Amino acid sequence: MDYTASTGHLRRFDATGYASRTHTTLSAKSEPTLSDAQRRTIYALSTPPGKAGVAVIRVSGPDALDVWRQVTRKTKSGDTPTPTPWMLQRRHVVDPETEEKLDDSLTVFFKGPKSFTTEDTLELHIHSGRAVLSAVLRALAKLSYCRPAAPGEFTRRAFEGGRLDLTQVEGLRDLIDAETEAQRRVAASGADGIARARYAALRSQILECLVFVEGFIDFGEDVDELGQEAMIREGKFSVGSIAILSEAVLAHDRALNIIKCIRSHLNDNRRGEILRSGIKLAIFGPPNAGKSSLFNFLAQRDAAITSPIPGTTRDVLTLTLDIGGFPVILSDTAGLRKTFDTVEQIGVGRAGNTVKEADLSLCVLSLPDVLFSPDNALVRIPDEVKGHLKPDTLFLLNKSDTIASLPPKPSLTFMEHDNGYDSTKRPQFWTASLRTSEGTQSFLDGLAEVLRTRYADGFDYTSPLITHARHRDFLEQAVLHLEEFIAFSPSQVDIAAESLRYAARAIGSVTGLDVSVEEVLGGIFSSFCVGK
């Protein structure tokens, strides 16, 4: 017999050396049910449920080794009663009460802190069948010191144990959710800790400024406030004060450099956030131009109803696509025209809002309706469309198959229009026929190139600093506090030091060094699956 101090349970070792938990017949009063806070060992299915070759059940906590002893048995003689850490071993999974064999498995025990959660961790690699999974999870539930994991609890323990910071946690979540190559590359850099190192460097620079300022505050006891300002303004330092005062000036200059560095990241046109969440591309134009046909063509299915009747599409249809390796949130909108139909008016209004909020807009026009004649190759943009054009609006001139003699693309000219659109600059456009597929491949290649140019050229996938809105919020706060520091005069240096502390705290909030609000952490980890 042996007493386990961590759990307060008696363990009995059988002839094979395996420990089996002793179940006593104590009354409910003498053996109260353990609370979730007391049951520190958690378990969950870490792979998607359903039929598959292999499923992984993860167990983490102080009793993970005892779980291994309770629910696994050797498959051959001569097996040791203690697992070899970080090595796969074939074992039977059994019911801890009846000893019934539930499945054959490969088990691996990770000895903390050299595990994902930094705790002792056990993984059971079993067959992924509904009955098998249910039986093994029921077996784990019979262990009084175990409980099911909450969503993201394994990752949260990795964060609390120092294995990951919040940028790595978010990168890991984004990596799991990544659907395109661009998203994978952005997420992988975050999960690898590249952003963590950059934020740490920024915070370290701010703290260095704070050290200089604290030294200046200490020296200020021997120099009156007016003397401090005069010496810094005129550069007249005494032999005894030159080192400290010059450091104060250096802190001011470093703060300016830090502001410049952070602003360079803030002025990234939200590329990191857009690549992570998806590029919003809105299709708009007059009725019957082929917008829904284009939507179906890109979706490669009949996602939108198409008909020759104007006003068929009355609401915004949205789907997510992979175009050239980039995540695109595509929206099909109602045809823009003046109408007395109340429902269609609502659709037109929503179309305008969708185009306004989009990262990129694509105007679809019907060539027979907008081309004056093959002779002058002049494209007329409908008045209802002009008000929704942006300087970077793309154009698709559809129904090219209906033009007997289509002018060469270089000769096509767009008429002058308003709303800030640069009419002197030739817009980017393609001619195609969605009915015959003529020119559609050229359009797809061109659209992918536009996405690559706008969101990938010059973008360092290995170290995107801002990938979430909260990163941007904290960086903007840091800039404000640094600007406050610079605005203070030397006579207010004690107050200025507080601004530096707030700036360092804002940067630390990105990585989690200064995050103490439960709502923030809960919002991040709750978005994970249970087994992660």
Side-chain angles (χ1 to χ4, degrees):
M1 301 281 289
D2 181 31
Y3 183 81
T4 305
S6 63
T7 61
H9 291 281
L10 290 174
R11 294 187 301 175
R12 185 188 305 276
F13 291 90
D14 59 21
T16 63
Y18 291 107
S20 59
R21 189 170 300 279
T22 301
H23 296 275
T24 62
T25 57
L26 298 177
S27 64
K29 183 176 181 180
S30 61
E31 189 179 5
T33 302
L34 297 177
S35 67
D36 284 353
Q38 293 173 309
R39 293 186 293 172
R40 287 289 300 162
T41 301
I42 57 174
Y43 66 89
L45 177 65
S46 291
T47 49
K51 295 181 180 179
V54 178
V56 177
I57 292 178
R58 176 182 284 173
V59 181
S60 180
D63 295 302
L65 179 58
D66 200 64
V67 173
W68 181 87
R69 290 175 174 143
Q70 290 292 322
V71 302
T72 70
R73 297 291 182 268
K74 64 182 181 180
T75 58
K76 59 182 180 180
S77 60
D79 196 8
T80 61
T82 303
T84 302
W86 313 292
M87 180 178 292
L88 280 169
Q89 294 177 304
R90 185 183 176 191
R91 295 181 68 82
H92 298 312
V93 179
V94 300
D95 186 295
E97 294 181 348
T98 66
E99 294 290 326
E100 176 190 359
K101 176 184 173 182
L102 304 178
D103 194 18
D104 280 328
S105 73
L106 289 176
T107 67
V108 58
F109 178 76
F110 300 89
K111 180 65 178 175
K114 295 182 179 180
S115 68
F116 174 70
T117 61
T118 71
E119 302 174 323
D120 286 354
T121 301
L122 172 66
E123 287 186 0
L124 303 175
H125 297 236
I126 59 178
H127 296 99
S128 187
R130 180 175 298 177
V132 174
L133 293 174
S134 298
V136 175
L137 291 174
R138 281 198 305 270
L140 292 173
K142 293 179 180 180
L143 303 177
S144 62
Y145 50 87
C146 287
R147 65 173 174 83
E153 190 168 2
F154 290 98
T155 304
R156 178 158 187 165
R157 292 190 177 192
F159 166 73
E160 293 173 344
R163 174 72 64 211
L164 306 173
D165 79 331
L166 286 186
T167 62
Q168 290 174 290
V169 169
E170 290 167 326
L172 183 59
R173 180 186 61 190
D174 295 340
L175 190 61
I176 294 172
D177 294 337
E179 296 182 351
T180 68
E181 179 63 14
Q183 288 176 317
R184 183 198 64 78
R185 294 172 70 181
V186 171
S189 68
D192 287 344
I194 296 176
R196 174 182 187 173
R198 289 205 168 189
Y199 283 115
L202 280 175
R203 186 171 182 271
S204 178
Q205 293 173 32
I206 296 174
L207 292 178
E208 287 178 7
C209 293
L210 183 58
V211 170
F212 293 153
V213 172
E214 293 288 0
F216 182 56
I217 292 174
D218 293 338
F219 179 78
E221 296 177 357
D222 302 323
V223 182
D224 63 272
E225 294 180 353
L226 293 177
Q228 292 177 13
E229 293 186 14
M231 282 187 288
I232 292 176
R233 183 175 62 252
E234 300 173 10
K236 297 178 180 179
F237 305 123
S238 64
V239 175
S241 64
I242 186 169
I244 298 295
L245 292 176
S246 62
E247 284 186 347
V249 177
L250 182 60
H252 181 279
D253 294 339
R254 286 197 174 189
L256 287 173
N257 290 333
I258 297 172
I259 291 174
K260 182 179 179 181
C261 176
I262 295 178
R263 286 202 179 280
S264 69
H265 292 296
L266 290 173
N267 296 331
D268 64 349
N269 295 321
R270 297 176 51 253
R271 286 200 290 182
E273 296 154 271
I274 290 173
L275 287 177
R276 183 189 67 82
S277 59
I279 304 167
K280 295 180 182 178
L281 174 59
I283 301 174
F284 74 105
N288 277 5
K291 300 181 299 301
S292 296
S293 297
L294 174 61
F295 189 78
N296 291 340
F297 168 75
L298 294 173
Q300 297 184 2
R301 61 185 176 89
D302 290 334
I305 298 175
T306 60
S307 79
I309 303 173
T312 301
T313 302
R314 297 195 173 193
D315 206 346
V316 179
L317 303 179
T318 303
L319 57 81
T320 302
L321 301 174
D322 180 341
I323 299 179
F326 294 92
V328 175
I329 302 174
L330 186 68
S331 296
D332 181 25
T333 62
L336 300 175
R337 67 168 180 171
K338 293 181 180 179
T339 177
F340 296 102
D341 187 299
T342 304
V343 176
E344 189 176 356
Q345 286 176 348
I346 296 174
V348 171
R350 290 184 178 182
N353 292 333
T354 301
V355 174
K356 182 179 180 180
E357 296 171 359
D359 301 311
L360 194 61
S361 57
L362 175 61
C363 181
V364 180
L365 301 175
S366 172
L367 266 175
D369 297 333
V370 300
L371 192 64
F372 269 120
S373 69
D375 298 332
N376 57 24
L378 194 61
V379 176
R380 179 186 60 83
I381 298 178
D383 293 337
E384 292 79 8
V385 174
K386 291 180 181 180
H388 300 278
L389 298 178
K390 301 178 182 179
D392 58 355
T393 297
L394 307 174
F395 290 89
L396 176 65
L397 305 181
N398 186 30
K399 303 182 182 180
S400 61
D401 59 306
T402 62
I403 304 297
S405 179
L406 184 65
K409 183 178 177 180
S411 65
L412 290 173
T413 304
F414 285 72
M415 292 183 64
E416 185 176 349
H417 44 79
D418 52 12
N419 199 41
Y421 195 95
D422 188 358
S423 59
T424 62
K425 182 179 179 181
R426 183 181 176 86
Q428 193 153 7
F429 70 95
W430 300 269
T431 60
S433 171
L434 294 171
R435 188 178 67 86
T436 65
S437 297
E438 178 185 358
T440 53
Q441 187 58 51
S442 176
F443 162 71
L444 283 177
D445 295 340
L447 181 58
E449 182 60 30
V450 169
L451 297 177
R452 189 175 301 109
T453 300
R454 298 192 183 185
Y455 298 101
D457 284 358
F459 184 78
D460 188 358
Y461 279 101
T462 62
S463 56
L465 192 67
I466 304 175
T467 54
H468 290 75
R470 73 175 196 91
H471 300 176
R472 187 173 300 278
D473 292 340
F474 285 123
L475 286 175
E476 289 173 346
Q477 289 180 30
V479 169
L480 290 176
H481 293 308
L482 289 169
E483 289 175 340
E484 288 176 358
F485 164 73
I486 292 173
F488 283 116
S489 65
S491 62
Q492 299 172 302
V493 69
D494 53 339
I495 304 176
E498 196 64 21
S499 294
L500 285 178
R501 293 189 186 94
Y502 284 129
R505 189 174 302 169
I507 299 296
S509 296
V510 179
T511 60
L513 289 176
D514 290 288
V515 172
S516 57
V517 181
E518 181 62 27
E519 288 80 359
V520 175
L521 296 179
I524 292 175
F525 292 106
S526 63
S527 60
F528 279 87
C529 60
V530 173
K532 193 63 179 176

